[in-house]
Amino acid sequence: MHAARYVGNNTIAVAEVPVAPPPAGQVQLDVAYTGICGTDLHLLHGAMDARVTLPAVIGHEMSGRIAAVGEGVTGWAAGDPVTVMPLAWCGACPACAAGHQHICQNLDFIGIDSPGSLQNRWNVPQEVLVRLPASLPLDRAALVEPVAVSVHDVRRADVRPGEKAVVVGGGPIGVLIAVAARHAGAEVVVAEVDSERRAMVAGLGFAVLDPGTGDLPARVAEWTAGAGADVVFEVSGAAPAVLGATALARVRGRLVIVAIHPQPRPVDLKQIFWRELTVLGARVYERQDFETAVTMLADGVVPADRLITGTVPLTRVADAFEQLSAGQAMKVLVDCQEGA
């Protein structure tokens, strides 16, 4: 079969690899689609070399069908449509003991710390499977994982009906957070510097602000009658956005850090002190977030067709990374069966 492997030096290459039967307790998946995300770009650019073993099959946003089941697997059968919640925890560390298995201190993020879904067939533990409804097309189902991220972020922020939320960053996760926050009943404004992304976000019915023009805190204050936003999501990953985010929140508002910041960032601690802000981290997701994400996609809450801006075969996976690196696409899917 074919697998796309990160081989270091900003290079991903497709190679022929042997197909191994699923071990006991695991299932083998025919991977239909894999989405490429910002984490995959970080991997390609070497930011996670300390975690991967080269050559590394990456990818974790996926959909597919069960091809075979290993010994001892129950409740699953060949042909079942599924996605994968790509987290394997140890069950023994203090975080797991406290009920926070999703951020296990020894977490195996499948697709980074162990082989991922950019291959024709993929063996995974049965515990990570999430069932998909037959009515949900598999290309849209490849968005379950990023939608689950946004659901977790909004749930972590405890967004309530009638609240005002600012999303700083209009990339794929920022847009999905906006969708999830609106679904939770909030009024949402998205701040995004790129004009094409602003146009796309506006086309989804969101108010959009350009942080590069005018006084963003003043414009948010005007929108909120002088109060500031109830919750601010920092999704851009940009240092100026982090520094300015605290000025957008109301007294006792919440600031949620969603983006991966590889370097320490300056933060306006005076604003946190002065307004008694709550700062929250939101890293991955839990099983309930995945289940909610499946429902949102199946019910058409998520504008999947607008977000999927291209599909390439596995043999051209490098093209998908180039498009995303150049900012030319919102979400590119890799068809892991075409040419298999």
Side-chain angles (χ1 to χ4, degrees):
M1 69 173 187
H2 290 96
R5 305 186 297 179
Y6 166 59
V7 296
N9 195 30
N10 291 316
T11 302
I12 189 162
V14 178
E16 287 191 12
V17 298
V19 180
Q26 295 198 16
V27 301
Q28 185 170 89
L29 305 180
D30 279 329
V31 180
Y33 297 95
T34 294
I36 306 300
C37 74
T39 300
D40 298 315
L41 290 178
H42 282 298
L43 275 165
L44 184 67
H45 297 153
M48 298 183 181
D49 280 0
R51 293 175 59 179
V52 300
T53 301
L54 300 181
V57 180
I58 63 175
H60 57 275
E61 300 180 1
M62 63 77 60
S63 63
R65 294 184 184 276
I66 294 177
V69 298
E71 182 181 354
V73 171
T74 59
W76 300 98
D80 288 346
V82 297
T83 187
V84 163
M85 188 174 80
L87 307 179
W89 46 79
C90 72
C93 70
C96 287
H100 308 309
Q101 294 92 339
H102 68 295
I103 45 175
C104 166
Q105 290 164 231
N106 304 302
L107 186 68
D108 173 357
F109 192 103
I110 303 170
I112 300 175
D113 304 305
S114 58
S117 61
L118 278 171
Q119 52 187 317
N120 302 150
R121 288 197 164 185
W122 187 31
N123 293 337
V124 297
Q126 64 175 329
E127 292 81 11
V128 304
L129 296 177
V130 177
R131 195 177 300 276
L132 297 173
S135 60
L136 181 59
L138 289 179
D139 57 347
R140 297 183 185 184
L143 298 184
V144 169
E145 194 270 355
V147 174
V149 169
S150 71
V151 170
H152 182 77
D153 297 339
V154 168
R155 186 167 64 86
R156 181 97 170 101
D158 193 23
V159 173
R160 301 165 193 171
E163 289 194 317
K164 294 184 182 294
V166 174
V167 179
V168 181
I173 294 297
V175 171
L176 289 173
I177 289 173
V179 169
R182 181 168 65 184
H183 187 58
E187 297 180 53
V188 183
V189 162
V190 178
E192 168 56 45
V193 297
D194 183 84
S195 60
E196 291 187 8
R197 284 187 168 178
R198 285 199 305 274
M200 192 279 290
V201 174
L204 298 177
F206 294 103
V208 184
L209 297 175
D210 180 0
T213 60
D215 185 336
L216 184 60
R219 295 163 78 187
V220 171
E222 180 182 2
W223 175 55
T224 59
D230 298 286
V231 58
V232 178
F233 295 92
E234 201 305 287
V235 200
S236 73
V242 177
L243 186 59
T246 51
L248 306 179
R250 65 165 171 81
V251 167
R252 290 207 166 180
R254 290 99 72 200
L255 171 61
V256 186
I257 305 299
V258 177
I260 297 175
H261 292 271
Q263 302 295 330
R265 302 296 196 195
V267 178
D268 190 342
L269 294 179
K270 181 181 177 181
Q271 292 280 12
I272 295 172
F273 155 77
W274 201 253
R275 301 186 184 199
E276 293 195 354
L277 302 181
T278 298
V279 180
L280 299 164
R283 179 177 164 191
V284 279
Y285 27 65
E286 298 175 73
R287 168 87 40 180
Q288 69 184 93
D289 302 315
F290 256 73
E291 292 169 350
T292 299
V294 170
T295 300
M296 288 174 63
L297 280 158
D299 290 348
V301 173
V302 178
D305 290 346
R306 301 285 295 277
L307 295 176
I308 298 170
T309 49
T311 302
V312 301
L314 184 63
T315 53
R316 289 178 45 214
V317 65
D319 293 349
F321 280 88
E322 289 179 9
Q323 291 176 39
L324 289 171
S325 295
Q328 298 173 349
M330 184 64 65
K331 178 61 64 177
V332 178
L333 301 184
V334 177
D335 184 336
C336 293
Q337 292 301 310
E338 184 175 342

